[in-house]
Amino acid sequence: MTGIRLYNTRTRRKEAFAPLDPDNVRMYVCGPTVYDRAHLGNARPVVVFDVLFRLLRHVYGAEAVTYVRNFTDVDDKINARAREMQAAGDGRDLNAIIRTLTDETIGWYHADMDALGALRPTVEPRATEYIGQMVGMIEGLVAKGHAYAAEGHVLFDVRSYPEYGRLSGRSVDDMIAGARVEVAPYKRDPMDFVLWKPSAADEPGWDSPWGRGRPGWHIECSAMAHELLGPAFDIHGGGIDLQFPHHENEIAQSCCAHPEAGFANVWLHNEMVQVEGKKMSKSLGNFFTVRDLLDQGWPGEVIRFVMLQTHYRKPMDWTIQKGADAAQELRRWRTYCGESHGSAAPDEHFMELLADDLNTHGALTRLREMFRTRKETREVFRSSCTVLGLLSDELSGWFEQYKGMSDVPEPVRDLVALYMKKRQIAKENKDFEEADRIRDILVSAGIEIHDKKGAPPAWEYLEHFDPAKLECLK
């Protein structure tokens, strides 16, 4: 059995993964708040934990792994978006708008993540389906002295949990000094956080011992994780932006509600996404949703490949050049594999690299070595790629336009790809004379070029393609 090692954020070291029950491996990952399209940063944890899901299934068996990723469908951001829709002329009541909005957004999310080759989790709970469990957990916290009611709210008493801050490595006092926290007169301590809040008459709300209201964000994941995975489970994951306060608060309320358990044994956090070396921001014009990139012509498999090239604990940088290189490399791999499938086991060294804290960068390096040396069979190569979610039939649609390349000798394909890249660089450097020169030679040789703003270089070989006419490129 392949031994898995994972970096545990809580202990700040890499540890051998030992599930509580090898026949029932359990993982919870925080999902999206469903009011808008998923952006590139939202997609990274989906890809990261999809790879972990695939790895766990490979090692322990598909039926032995339960992966839960929630949908937050009750939240102030959702209410705000629904009010914007009302203001823009939607005449329905707020709750009807919210239901339509969340249903539609979940549909978008599924379509976009499917396009990236992500497997659907075992369970995808909606927060609104577990309100009763949330109320029950809050009642237990109040009874044990870890929470208190005040002015229609229920708040968690952070000082009642001495280990608060262990995940993020800061004391409560340091957090107060360095963080922006909501100061409210009904709070005993500035760091106390909301478990339950009152709802206005037109807002989503449920009856509770503290009046009609709705849950705070943090209690949602704790209640759903407990209901679906139990008081103790193996892995909890999400983006590094959730480490504090969300995951810190989950630990506090869950461990106080069920002190006999330990909540999650391993905490995994992926780093953030940049675009062309800069933080993704609408003000910089480099903010992309996954759908934006797909509509620009970037295949989902290419987006996934770019993400896999960076270790999950390092910031990932999306660039047009990386996308173009990834598309070229995937074309070569798919051409090499052809229709091969078979039931070959993945390469052993590849699996060792991947099992070492999800070292996807190292795993891809091994795949490149396998592709270059051809020492392993096509079936072994392809099955190894499949563990990363690559070269699947489901993601093959984009490759159809390049199938004409299969009859072109590989050195010729490499030459064309090289000069398509040089043309792209010339255009970026505003050397349009050189870019046009390369274009004209390629076209005269029988290559049709498809230029689309923001999309990777694309081309196809026409029936009259003559490689001899490429000689003047060299």
Side-chain angles (χ1 to χ4, degrees), residues 367-426:
L367 289 174
R368 292 181 178 115
E369 179 186 3
M370 293 166 64
F371 177 77
R372 184 179 68 254
T373 63
R374 306 290 206 275
K375 289 182 179 179
E376 289 74 23
T377 66
R378 286 180 172 86
E379 287 74 21
V380 170
F381 179 79
R382 183 163 194 156
S383 64
S384 302
C385 289
T386 301
V387 179
L388 292 178
L390 300 172
L391 303 196
S392 67
D393 291 340
E394 292 78 10
L395 296 183
S396 65
W398 72 277
F399 181 66
E400 296 301 317
Q401 63 176 306
Y402 298 106
K403 278 198 170 179
M405 297 172 62
S406 59
D407 297 328
V408 179
E410 187 168 339
V412 176
R413 297 200 305 269
D414 291 346
L415 179 66
V416 172
L418 172 65
Y419 277 91
M420 284 293 293
K421 184 186 297 185
K422 287 188 174 183
R423 175 174 175 262
Q424 184 73 14
I425 293 172

Side-chain angles (χ1 to χ4, degrees), residues 75-89:
D75 187 88
D76 290 348
K77 292 179 180 178
I78 298 173
N79 295 350
R81 177 58 55 86
R83 291 193 187 282
E84 290 174 5
M85 294 169 67
Q86 272 188 329

Side-chain angles (χ1 to χ4, degrees), residues 85 91 109 147 167 178 195 197 212 224 241 351 357 369 389 445:
M85 294 169 67
Y109 187 83
L167 182 69
L195 300 173
K197 65 177 74 174
R212 184 177 179 277
M224 287 185 283
D241 56 316
M351 291 303 303
D357 195 30
E369 179 186 3

Side-chain angles (χ1 to χ4, degrees), residues 293-332:
L293 293 180
L294 293 171
D295 288 346
Q296 288 171 10
W298 292 101
E301 187 173 38
V302 170
I303 299 170
R304 182 185 185 93
F305 192 97
V306 172
M307 288 188 169
L308 293 175
Q309 292 182 85
T310 303
H311 191 277
Y312 77 92
R313 287 193 287 114
K314 294 182 179 180
M316 191 220 89
D317 191 21
W318 167 268
T319 69
I320 290 177
Q321 189 62 60
K322 285 183 178 180
D325 291 344
Q328 178 182 330
E329 191 159 20
L330 282 169
R331 285 196 296 267
R332 291 181 184 173

Side-chain angles (χ1 to χ4, degrees), residues 139-261:
E139 286 182 306
L141 289 169
V142 171
K144 293 176 181 178
H146 293 292
Y148 58 94
E151 298 183 22
H153 295 73
V154 182
L155 297 107
F156 184 85
D157 182 358
V158 168
R159 301 283 181 178
S160 74
Y161 182 59
E163 292 196 27
Y164 190 86
R166 179 181 169 190
L167 182 69
S168 49
R170 294 177 290 176
S171 70
V172 175
D173 292 328
D174 287 342
M175 291 179 189
I176 293 174
R180 291 178 295 178
V181 296
E182 180 189 359
V183 178
Y186 48 78
K187 284 188 175 185
R188 295 176 183 173
D189 188 286
M191 290 302 295
D192 291 350
F193 57 89
V194 172
L195 300 173
W196 189 264
K197 65 177 74 174
S199 291
D202 64 338
E203 292 177 331
W206 293 262
D207 292 333
S208 80
W210 317 284
R212 184 177 179 277
R214 59 192 188 276
W217 175 34
H218 312 299
I219 196 68
E220 295 178 7
C221 287
S222 285
M224 287 185 283
H226 178 267
E227 180 69 16
L228 295 168
L229 299 177
F233 54 95
D234 298 299
I235 298 168
H236 196 311
I240 192 66
D241 56 316
L242 299 181
Q243 182 184 30
F244 180 83
H246 185 50
H247 289 165
E248 196 78 72
N249 292 351
E250 276 192 74
I251 291 172
Q253 62 202 11
S254 294
C255 289
C256 289
H258 306 285
E260 74 287 352

Side-chain angles (χ1 to χ4, degrees), residues 7 9 29-30 39-50 67 236-243 247 267-274 307 310-316 357-358:
Y7 182 86
T9 307
V29 175
C30 292
H39 58 68
L40 205 54
N42 300 141
R44 192 178 191 196
V46 173
V47 172
V48 167
F49 292 102
D50 179 64
Y67 172 18
H236 196 311
I240 192 66
D241 56 316
L242 299 181
Q243 182 184 30
H247 289 165
W267 287 83
L268 265 65
H269 293 94
N270 64 273
E271 262 291 351
M272 308 300 284
V273 170
Q274 299 174 332
M307 288 188 169
T310 303
H311 191 277
Y312 77 92
R313 287 193 287 114
K314 294 182 179 180
M316 191 220 89
D357 195 30
L358 295 186

